[in-house]
Amino acid sequence: MASEGADVVDLGVLPTPGVAWLAAERGLPAAVVSASHNLFSDNGIKLFAAGGLKLPDATEAAIEEELARILESAGPPSVPPVGHGVGMLSEEPEGCQRYIDHLVAALEGRDLSGLRVVVDCANGAASSVAPAVLEGLGADVSAIANTPDGSNINDGCGSTHPESLAAEVLARGAHVGLALDGDADRLLAVDDTGTLTTGDELLSLFATDLAARGKLAGNTVVVTVMTNLGFRLAMAERGITVRETQVGDRYVLEALNAEALTLGGEQSGHIVFRDMATTGDGVLTGVVLLDLVKRLGAPLSELARGSMQRLPQVLLNVAAPRPAEAVAAPAVQAEVAAVELELGTRGRVLLRASGTEPLVRVMVEAADQAAAHAAAERLCAVVEQALVPSSAPD
């Protein structure tokens, strides 16, 4: 970037939401090299617009088109400019400490003293940040998967593999376990019994707590189409409105900004506290969760169990060369309507074309696992049938 004339500030190793926060503070664009929740071989680049917001779909598409054009153009690569006009490259290691201070300040003077916490850093960007924040707030912290070596990120650890964290929570008698992903923009939790608490339960806890304190803007929470039906039923019981978006935390953020709302998130643990962040922030989510547990004076297992009743959910994939056409097929839509009618208010169907693979994703929620699986298999069969070309007339 400096070779193309941009002045670049190198923040070193920092969680994605930390880079986004600093970009928002300065009103600058930003880039993060990250494997996100994947293995190191899937390293990529996340881009933020000036102000720390993710780029709109149209902008990302335009960038991809330009990259394709450059790669397809003939001739040798251009020589990087030298001398006058070349951008400056500077390092700013203090940016990490400023981000840590920001997270500590999120509790407005409250602390986490008396809580025993295990944090799984996924051998990623929060390996030093997360323990420092939690210790700065007075928690008794044990960190695991906090020795990144450049290739062990998310490898059998973090939010995609919470088994080791659950075992460590039980072994240490911890109150809560926090599972980050590699770039620390998502969080799942393990309760005091070693049971996983998903993004749906976390979002239910946060929405209920904020609403009770009069701090849930619009008395509304934003979720994606993948959020469990049990969450929606729990919110309805409490008079909290649910706004729904397509899958992706950027769409959650767009909905939050459009209506000046403050809370939204995904099942995966991407949770956005819009008044404190411009994107999902796993460490911030962990701090808010621990604060809630301490304020309410009850174990996370009890709080999560009372937050919502999770309905069984079955997810199946059907290979399809043109998934959008398969989803829109009249026979498929008719079967979806029939299944939804049979499931009633205690069930839900979602068919969607994958945005990254030639697949139709079939999701069914029902009152019991057997009913959900049977309905999903039935829908998969109809989708597969819709993919078979009709015979030409004699």
Side-chain angles (χ1 to χ4, degrees):
M1 287 188 286
S3 74
E4 292 292 335
D7 292 336
V8 181
V9 177
D10 183 359
L11 297 172
V13 177
L14 196 63
T16 291
V19 178
W21 177 75
L22 287 164
E25 185 185 53
R26 294 187 173 197
L28 298 175
V32 181
V33 178
S34 169
S36 189
H37 56 282
N38 304 306
L39 297 178
F40 84 101
S41 52
D42 287 322
N43 260 320
I45 301 175
K46 291 186 176 183
L47 300 175
F48 292 93
L53 296 174
K54 287 190 174 181
L55 302 178
D57 287 346
T59 304
E60 285 201 343
I63 291 172
E64 290 176 1
E65 290 175 6
E66 178 66 8
L67 287 172
R69 186 194 66 76
I70 292 170
L71 292 172
E72 291 170 2
S73 62
S78 60
V79 178
V82 294
H84 180 71
V86 176
M88 296 178 61
L89 179 61
S90 59
E91 295 184 358
E92 190 177 297
E94 63 271 20
C96 182
Q97 186 58 52
R98 288 171 52 219
Y99 174 57
I100 290 173
D101 294 341
H102 158 69
L103 294 177
V104 170
L107 293 192
E108 300 176 322
R110 298 186 300 278
D111 63 39
L112 303 176
S113 59
L115 291 181
R116 291 187 302 280
V117 183
V118 181
V119 57
D120 183 338
C121 301
N123 288 318
S127 291
S128 60
V129 169
V133 170
L134 298 174
E135 289 168 358
L137 286 166
D140 179 356
V141 183
S142 300
I144 63 173
N146 62 331
T147 55
D149 62 13
S151 63
N152 61 354
I153 187 172
N154 298 309
D155 189 2
C157 56
S159 61
T160 53
H161 298 279
E163 303 84 13
S164 297
L165 175 62
E168 200 70 19
V169 166
L170 293 176
R172 295 179 179 271
H175 295 99
V176 180
L178 304 176
L180 299 162
D181 69 332
D183 71 332
D185 64 354
R186 66 171 68 182
L187 176 107
L188 299 181
V190 170
D191 69 25
D192 47 295
T193 70
T195 302
L196 184 67
T197 306
T198 71
D200 286 347
E201 283 95 359
L202 292 176
L203 199 59
S204 179
L205 283 171
F206 296 142
T208 302
D209 177 62
L210 289 171
R213 295 189 287 144
K215 293 187 175 184
L216 184 64
N219 207 43
T220 299
V221 59
V222 178
V223 302
T224 75
V225 293
M226 294 299 293
T227 298
N228 193 270
L229 177 58
F231 175 90
R232 293 170 170 80
L233 295 174
M235 295 300 100
E237 289 176 1
R238 293 159 200 166
I240 297 173
T241 301
V242 176
R243 290 278 186 273
E244 189 178 272
T245 75
Q246 60 182 301
V247 175
D249 62 323
R250 83 178 61 193
Y251 304 113
V252 171
L253 184 63
E254 287 175 2
L256 291 173
N257 288 339
E259 297 188 47
L261 303 175
T262 54
L263 179 66
E266 296 187 280
Q267 199 175 68
S268 61
H270 275 121
I271 295 180
V272 182
F273 295 95
R274 188 61 187 94
D275 54 344
M276 293 186 280
T278 61
T279 187
D281 189 328
V283 182
L284 175 63
T285 301
V287 167
V288 175
L289 175 64
L290 294 170
D291 177 57
L292 184 152
V293 169
K294 183 174 179 180
R295 281 190 292 103
L296 298 185
L300 178 57
S301 56
E302 178 182 322
L303 295 172
R305 188 168 57 248
S307 70
M308 59 174 278
Q309 180 184 354
R310 188 173 190 83
L311 295 183
Q313 186 181 83
V314 173
L315 297 168
L316 299 176
N317 294 323
V318 181
R322 293 179 296 278
E325 292 181 19
V327 170
V332 173
Q333 288 301 309
E335 193 67 14
V336 168
V339 171
E340 287 181 328
L341 185 63
E342 293 172 15
L343 293 175
T345 59
R346 299 291 295 179
R348 188 168 69 102
V349 173
L350 175 66
L351 260 69
R352 66 183 184 93
S354 169
T356 57
E357 300 174 89
L359 297 172
V360 173
R361 302 200 187 278
V362 179
M363 185 199 79
V364 177
E365 292 170 342
D368 62 76
Q369 189 75 22
H373 199 275
E377 291 280 10
R378 175 177 155 189
L379 289 167
C380 285
V382 174
V383 172
E384 289 170 351
Q385 184 62 37
L387 297 172
V388 178
S390 58
S391 300
D394 294 333

